[in-house]
């Protein structure tokens, strides 16, 4: 049995994994899909002080308090920074890092560094909500939809999960200074569906930090693949564990 820890991206909550969790559990694995501070059942904790370090602390705290080891740590979108920072804190507990259509930072980088278009969102937030709230993006015409979700029923459900994103999460740099972090195997899963203008993905280096060839998998769908292709995503994740 492996332990999957699924970390949602910006604006989302842990509920976005509801279609994936039972598929992984039915294969005999333990699965945790928490909401980070400021989202879902923790939405009331949102505030200008909530940053990337808050979310890294959420994940590290859960790993330590639950005594988790051999964790397959999955980060979607913005949570690529979160899982990187968490793995830096407890590398001995992480068996595999999975970047799910995610930001992949270097030491000292923020979300703005990894994806410069993020600065536009922060600038828009400056004039409203006290300047610290970045509201979820609007739904766009198909095939873009809302985070790549286009089915009307799914879009309506997804809207119930979304909360504002604190600006500090996007501006705070990640700390990746433990050499043990580099030994953790990595897999990148890319969603190859339509992407809004300005949303770019860094090329994955051909060699992982641990010296093995890069592993890049693809799903032919939009960004929120856990909603649009949960079975296919689960199959890819299960392929990473014994």
């Amino acid at each position: 049995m492996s332990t999957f820890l699924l970390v949602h991206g910006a604006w989302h909550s842990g509920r976005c994994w509801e279609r994936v969790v039972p598929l992984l559990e039915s294969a005999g694995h333990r699965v945790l899909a928490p909401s980070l501070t400021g989202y879902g059942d923790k939405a009331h904790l949102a505030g200008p002080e909530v940053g990337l370090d808050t979310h890294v602390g959420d994940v590290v705290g859960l790993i330590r308090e639950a005594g988790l080891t051999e964790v397959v740590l999955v980060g979607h979108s913005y949570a690529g920074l979160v899982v990187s920072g968490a793995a830096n804190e407890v590398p001995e507990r992480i068996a595999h890092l999975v970047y799910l259509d995610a930001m992949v930072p270097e030491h000292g980088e923020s979300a703005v560094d990894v994806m410069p278009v993020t600065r536009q969102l922060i600038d828009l937030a400056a004039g409203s909500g006290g300047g610290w709230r970045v509201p979820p993006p609007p739904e766009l015409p198909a095939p873009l939809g809302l985070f790549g979700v286009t089915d009307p029923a799914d879009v309506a459900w997804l809207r119930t999960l979304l909360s504002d994103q604190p600006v500090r999460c996007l501006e705070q740099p990640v700390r990746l200074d433990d050499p043990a972090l580099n030994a953790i195997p990595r897999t990148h899963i890319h969603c190859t569906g339509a992407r809004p203008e300005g949303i770019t993905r860094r090329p994955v280096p051909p060699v992982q930090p641990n010296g093995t060839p890069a592993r890049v998998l693809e799903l032919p769908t939009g960004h929120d693949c856990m909603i649009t292709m949960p079975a296919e995503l689960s199959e890819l994740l299960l392929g990473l564990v014994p």
Side-chain angles (χ1 to χ4, degrees):
M1 181 183 74
S2 296
T3 297
F4 288 90
L5 178 47
L6 311 176
V7 185
H8 65 82
W11 300 291
H12 290 57
S13 78
R15 288 181 58 208
C16 72
W17 303 101
E18 283 185 2
R19 298 176 182 178
V20 173
V21 170
L23 298 176
L24 299 178
E25 289 180 335
S26 67
H29 301 292
R30 183 180 186 184
V31 187
L32 297 92
S35 291
L36 300 173
T37 298
Y39 312 95
D41 59 345
K42 300 182 180 70
H44 62 288
L45 299 176
E49 73 287 349
V50 173
L52 175 60
D53 60 349
T54 309
H55 294 155
V56 169
D58 289 341
V59 174
V60 172
L62 175 59
I63 290 172
R64 285 176 169 159
E65 289 164 15
L68 304 182
T69 58
E70 295 297 310
V71 175
V72 179
L73 186 55
V74 182
H76 178 242
S77 195
Y78 152 76
L81 285 87
V82 179
V83 299
S84 296
N88 186 76
E89 296 300 310
V90 286
E92 73 282 357
R93 294 176 180 261
I94 310 302
H96 207 113
L97 272 173
V98 181
Y99 292 95
L100 180 58
D101 219 33
M103 298 182 184
V104 185
E106 300 291 339
H107 174 64
E109 288 189 324
S110 69
V112 175
D113 296 315
V114 179
M115 191 171 292
V117 72
T118 304
R119 172 56 61 187
Q120 297 177 19
L121 301 175
I122 295 171
D123 292 343
L124 287 173
S128 62
W132 64 269
R133 294 178 177 271
V134 180
E139 181 182 358
L140 299 172
L144 297 172
L146 183 63
F147 297 105
V149 178
T150 56
D151 178 83
D154 286 345
V155 170
W157 177 70
L158 175 56
R159 288 188 187 281
T160 69
L161 311 185
L162 302 180
S163 304
D164 291 347
Q165 176 84 353
V167 165
R168 186 172 171 81
C169 299
L170 305 176
E171 294 184 321
Q172 196 165 39
V174 67
R175 185 162 64 88
L176 307 176
D177 56 0
D178 188 333
L181 173 65
N182 292 332
I184 301 173
R186 301 182 176 196
T187 295
H188 302 261
I189 301 177
H190 292 166
C191 297
T192 60
R195 304 175 74 86
E197 184 177 354
I199 303 297
T200 58
R201 181 189 293 122
R202 285 179 169 175
V204 176
V207 179
Q208 296 190 51
N210 67 1
T212 62
R215 185 171 190 176
V216 181
L217 308 175
E218 295 184 346
L219 287 171
T221 189
H223 187 53
D224 276 7
C225 57
M226 71 287 292
I227 296 173
T228 58
M229 297 188 76
E232 295 83 351
L233 171 59
S234 298
E235 184 177 354
L236 293 184
L237 294 176
L238 291 172
L240 304 178
V241 298

